């Protein structure tokens, strides 16, 4: 809507169409992240591209899932030469969501129930929300809602967007990505959405 209004007012609008990451891009990203050679990580990169179609956000979330599931792990047995390890077959057989929202939804469902409820209600408020409003909607004390939000912050689902107040609480938040908000909203049962 804003872009349309600006166009009507004669403001020059430049659009940039972003493409999915190429195999070369994902290979470089993984090599840099794991501090490995391009040739070493290329089979992993090929599989990641196949599973994510190169969607940058999905690539990131997929790699985080591999680490959380201990499929991509740092071998610390030799402290002088620790390196990342993975088993391609294990990744191939891994049941992965067909899209980013499903992947995030699966991650959200592993969180404590109250955190899931808080995030789903926050998603109803919008991409940005504040602690007081959320606590009112949740019908819970601010301290309990804040404790639940800390779990979501640590998981990277939400970001605090204000400084600590006098009660040592962050008051303003936003979802880390619009797909996270979408996944949190999807937690709400259809008959409860109204």
């Amino acid at each position: 809507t804003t872009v349309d209004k600006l166009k009507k007012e004669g403001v020059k609008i430049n659009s940039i169409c972003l493409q999915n990451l190429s195999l070369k891009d994902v290979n470089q990203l993984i090599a840099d992240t794991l501090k490995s050679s391009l040739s070493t990580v290329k089979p992993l990169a090929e599989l990641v591209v196949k599973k994510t179609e190169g969607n940058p956000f999905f690539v990131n979330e997929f790699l985080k899932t591999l680490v959380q599931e201990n499929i991509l792990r740092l071998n610390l047995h030799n402290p002088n030469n620790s390196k990342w390890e993975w088993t391609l077959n294990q990744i191939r057989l891994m049941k992965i969501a067909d899209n980013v929202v499903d992947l995030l939804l699966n991650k959200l469902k592993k969180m404590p129930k109250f955190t899931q409820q808080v995030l789903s209600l926050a998603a109803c408020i919008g991409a940005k929300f504040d602690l007081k409003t959320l606590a009112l909607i949740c019908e819970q004390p601010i301290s309990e809602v804040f404790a639940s939000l800390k779990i979501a912050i640590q998981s990277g689902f939400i970001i605090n967007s204000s400084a600590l107040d006098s009660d040592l609480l962050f008051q303003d938040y936003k979802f880390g990505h619009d797909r996270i908000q979408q996944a949190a909203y999807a937690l709400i049962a259809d008959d409860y959405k109204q």
Side-chain angles (χ1 to χ4, degrees):
T1 304
T2 304
V3 171
D4 289 340
K5 285 180 185 176
L6 291 172
K7 283 180 182 176
K8 286 177 185 174
E9 293 175 13
V11 175
K12 184 180 177 187
I13 304 291
N14 293 317
S15 298
I16 301 172
C17 295
L18 300 177
Q19 303 296 318
N20 285 341
L21 298 174
S22 68
L23 172 59
K24 181 182 175 188
D25 297 331
V26 173
N27 196 35
Q28 187 68 57
L29 172 77
I30 294 173
D32 290 347
T33 303
L34 303 183
K35 295 182 177 29
S36 298
S37 70
L38 291 168
S39 59
T40 302
V41 301
K42 188 171 184 185
L44 174 61
E46 289 170 342
L47 193 51
V48 169
V49 168
K50 184 177 178 183
K51 294 271 189 185
T52 65
E53 297 179 354
N55 176 303
F57 185 70
F58 205 178
V59 167
N60 188 37
E61 290 302 315
F62 184 68
L63 290 171
K64 285 196 275 187
T65 299
L66 293 178
V67 171
Q68 289 166 349
E69 300 288 330
N70 203 31
I71 295 170
L72 177 61
R73 61 204 163 279
L74 187 59
N75 182 342
L76 298 172
H77 293 303
N78 183 354
N80 297 328
N81 191 23
S82 59
K83 60 182 182 177
W84 287 91
E85 297 177 342
W86 58 89
T87 307
L88 290 176
N89 256 355
Q90 198 175 4
I91 298 169
R92 259 186 219 103
L93 296 173
M94 189 177 159
K95 295 278 187 204
I96 185 68
D98 291 333
N99 61 58
V100 180
V101 174
D102 290 341
L103 176 69
L104 292 170
L105 196 54
N106 290 336
K107 285 183 169 190
L108 283 169
K109 287 179 178 177
K110 292 179 182 177
M111 298 185 106
K113 284 286 183 201
F114 185 62
T115 301
Q116 290 179 43
Q117 180 187 2
V118 168
L119 288 176
S120 63
L121 292 173
C124 293
I125 297 171
K128 296 178 180 181
F129 57 93
D130 66 90
L131 184 60
K132 272 185 194 166
T133 303
L134 188 57
L136 276 170
I137 293 169
C138 292
E139 298 177 344
Q140 296 293 324
I142 287 179
S143 59
E144 284 184 37
V145 174
F146 178 71
S148 186
L149 289 177
K150 285 195 314 190
I151 296 168
I153 290 170
Q154 291 166 350
S155 299
F157 288 118
I158 60 169
I159 300 163
N160 60 299
S161 54
S162 63
L164 286 170
D165 65 11
S166 58
D167 296 322
L168 299 178
L169 300 172
F170 296 108
Q171 289 297 324
D172 299 314
Y173 301 87
K174 63 183 179 179
F175 281 94
H177 194 277
D178 64 334
R179 297 294 189 203
I180 297 171
Q181 180 187 1
Q182 188 179 353
Y185 186 77
L187 285 172
I188 303 169
D190 287 337
D191 57 334
Y192 189 69
K193 283 182 180 171
Q194 288 297 342

